[in-house]
Amino acid sequence: MTRKENFYLLFFKKIRLLKSGVAAIYMRISCNGTRVECFTGKTIEPNLWNQSKEKAKGNSKKAVDLNEYIDDAGIRPFKFFQEMQEDGSVVTARELYN
């Protein structure tokens, strides 16, 4: 019997604001009971973040750029997860992050 692998990816803004008044956007990778959080290097005005969609609100250049970044950043860990599963490797959040 094969083991069921679990993989989740979440983008969120930190509640604590930076000195400039913007919120840092983080990515959380959860896989088979392990979890890693990392700063994406992106920031947003707190009122422009929609947590339920894990995206920036609006059509401004900054919001569109951030949403494109989130879409691209979410694809890479998922592809690595699939490749590691196919190889029969033990998959952890740290492995996907690295």
Side-chain angles (χ1 to χ4, degrees), residues 13-18 21-25 39 42-46:
K13 72 173 178 67
K14 284 285 190 174
I15 294 172
R16 188 175 199 187
L17 302 180
L18 302 175
V22 295
I25 303 297
F39 176 51
K42 304 292 183 180
T43 59
I44 191 167
E45 295 290 327

Side-chain angles (χ1 to χ4, degrees), residues 10 32 36 46 55 62 64 86:
L10 173 74
N32 299 324
V36 174
K55 301 270 183 163
K62 185 167 182 165
V64 170
E86 289 171 5

